[in-house]
Amino acid sequence: MGEKSRLCRVWLGSETGILKGVSPARKQAFNFCETRSLSRDQEVRALCWGDPAETEVLVGSVNGAVRTFSTEKGVFTETRQCGGDAEEGGFTGLAVADLGLVTCVETGRLRVWREESSQPVVDVDAGASVCRMRQNPARRERVATGGKENGLRVWDLERPDAPVFTAKNLRDDWLDLRQPEWLRDAAFLPDSDKIVTCTGHHQVRVYDPATPQRRPVLEVRYGEYPLTCLSLVAGGQAVVVGNTHGSLAVLDLRKGLVRGCLKGLAGGVRGLQCHPTLPLVASCGLDRFLRIHSLETRSIEHKVYLKSRLNCLLLASQALGEEVGGEVEEVKEEEDEVWQSMEQVQESKRKAPEEETQTTKVTTTKKKKKGQK
């Protein structure tokens, strides 16, 4: 299993509790789980890297267990319980900080766990109905949370007494009615404190905690259906968003315009991630396919059917065909040698049965004419 796991460049979590690894260059998928003991309680809700070298994948399940999968050995090496109460809901985010493992559940319990302790060292109430928790890659001690009727909040886990930033809702509409809030996903823009979010009311917003204004500094609307997830393009000048009807779009964060749409999906998007260096974006969802689009040509580069509904994905920072490219070329060369060494078989040209019957009829008519004469 270690050889198979080392080939994988995309990791996905399914509703059935299976961790799936995909090698896009070979178009192969592998299941890493014990199929005899699968249950709905093991549904995978969140994935993250356990170390900077990307040799460990942390898998968060509905039952509150966080399993550690080794990409070098191809097996699960550790399982720890981080919660476990069914009333708390599933994980909405996993992250690894200097303080320890950071988890957040749907009821809003934001916790930090150390390896040597079974109790959390930090336990914060981030509000009810949390849909997503995201970590700041530049400042790993800071995370953003939000959900349904739960606005954007930024927390400093080293000083968790109060959020360092709390977003303010938009002003009332022209009927003096309060505008609903429904944050679905968020991401930190590189080289700045800005945060981009997408909502269940098909809005993409940008917040800037460095300014005294707590309301969004930019708002873009896309489509008519709820947005489910987003991912920043390399460079942070654009963002890719997906909605519940299987639409993907690239939005320009500088001008607030739609650059283009990515087609080919047939179900709601649940997982989305852009490659950190290459112009590629991977997506998965209810249609059970992993698709990798090119952001330059907007075409599908890879497409793999994975048999299960997919909840989340994790994309490696390496090139998708870095290690397997040479092996694929060697296999092709061996196949060419085999085909060249085979003897060519020449088939004899035979007349079609219709032509044969026609010729026989012509000869018989000629003989009858000669006999009559």
Side-chain angles (χ1 to χ4, degrees), residues 26-40:
R26 290 191 171 187
K27 295 190 182 299
Q28 292 181 344
F30 309 99
N31 294 334
F32 299 96
C33 67
E34 296 180 1
T35 55
R36 297 179 181 178
S37 60
L38 284 179
S39 65
R40 278 290 183 180

Side-chain angles (χ1 to χ4, degrees), residues 46-208:
L47 296 173
C48 76
W49 294 113
D51 58 344
E54 298 181 355
T55 59
E56 292 181 349
V57 179
L58 300 183
V59 183
S61 304
V62 174
N63 57 6
V66 177
R67 296 177 293 170
T68 303
F69 179 81
S70 174
T71 58
E72 295 182 346
K73 300 178 182 178
V75 294
F76 288 95
T77 58
E78 183 183 358
T79 301
R80 59 185 304 180
Q81 199 69 25
C82 300
D85 191 355
E87 296 180 356
E88 291 186 351
F91 289 111
T92 59
L94 290 178
V96 177
D98 297 335
L99 297 174
L101 175 64
V102 184
T103 64
C104 187
V105 293
E106 294 174 350
T107 54
R109 304 310 302 181
L110 177 62
R111 300 186 177 102
V112 179
W113 308 80
R114 293 188 184 274
E115 293 184 0
E116 64 274 5
S117 175
S118 60
Q119 298 296 325
V121 295
V122 176
D123 193 347
V124 179
D125 185 7
S129 302
V130 173
C131 295
R132 193 75 72 189
M133 184 272 290
R134 292 294 188 186
Q135 184 185 34
N136 188 345
R139 304 179 65 177
R140 301 174 62 191
E141 72 278 2
R142 292 200 172 187
V143 295
T145 61
K148 195 166 187 178
E149 298 303 334
N150 187 353
L152 173 67
R153 299 179 187 180
V154 180
W155 302 85
D156 190 341
L157 298 177
E158 296 180 351
R159 297 182 295 274
D161 298 333
V164 296
F165 174 77
T166 302
K168 197 173 183 179
N169 193 13
L170 296 179
R171 293 183 176 88
D172 297 343
D173 60 7
W174 63 281
L175 292 174
D176 290 336
L177 296 177
R178 178 185 175 275
Q179 299 199 34
E181 292 183 289
W182 191 4
L183 186 145
R184 298 297 299 269
D185 203 353
F188 289 86
L189 271 68
D191 302 328
S192 69
D193 294 331
K194 295 181 180 179
I195 306 164
V196 57
T197 65
C198 66
T199 71
H201 305 290
H202 56 88
Q203 303 157 333
V204 177
R205 297 172 175 173
V206 178
Y207 296 87
D208 190 358

Side-chain angles (χ1 to χ4, degrees), residues 198-237:
C198 66
T199 71
H201 305 290
H202 56 88
Q203 303 157 333
V204 177
R205 297 172 175 173
V206 178
Y207 296 87
D208 190 358
T211 63
Q213 180 182 357
R214 292 191 295 158
R215 289 190 172 97
V217 296
L218 175 68
E219 180 176 349
V220 185
R221 292 178 179 267
Y222 170 71
E224 300 178 355
Y225 304 104
L227 300 177
T228 55
C229 51
L230 62 81
S231 181
L232 286 171
V233 178
Q237 296 181 353

Side-chain angles (χ1 to χ4, degrees), residues 262-294:
L262 307 176
K263 298 181 179 181
L265 282 77
V269 184
R270 287 187 173 179
L272 183 66
Q273 186 178 350
C274 294
H275 197 277
T277 56
L278 301 176
L280 299 173
V281 57
S283 61
C284 67
L286 296 179
D287 61 354
R288 298 175 170 87
F289 276 95
L290 165 68
R291 292 179 177 87
I292 299 178
H293 285 82
S294 171

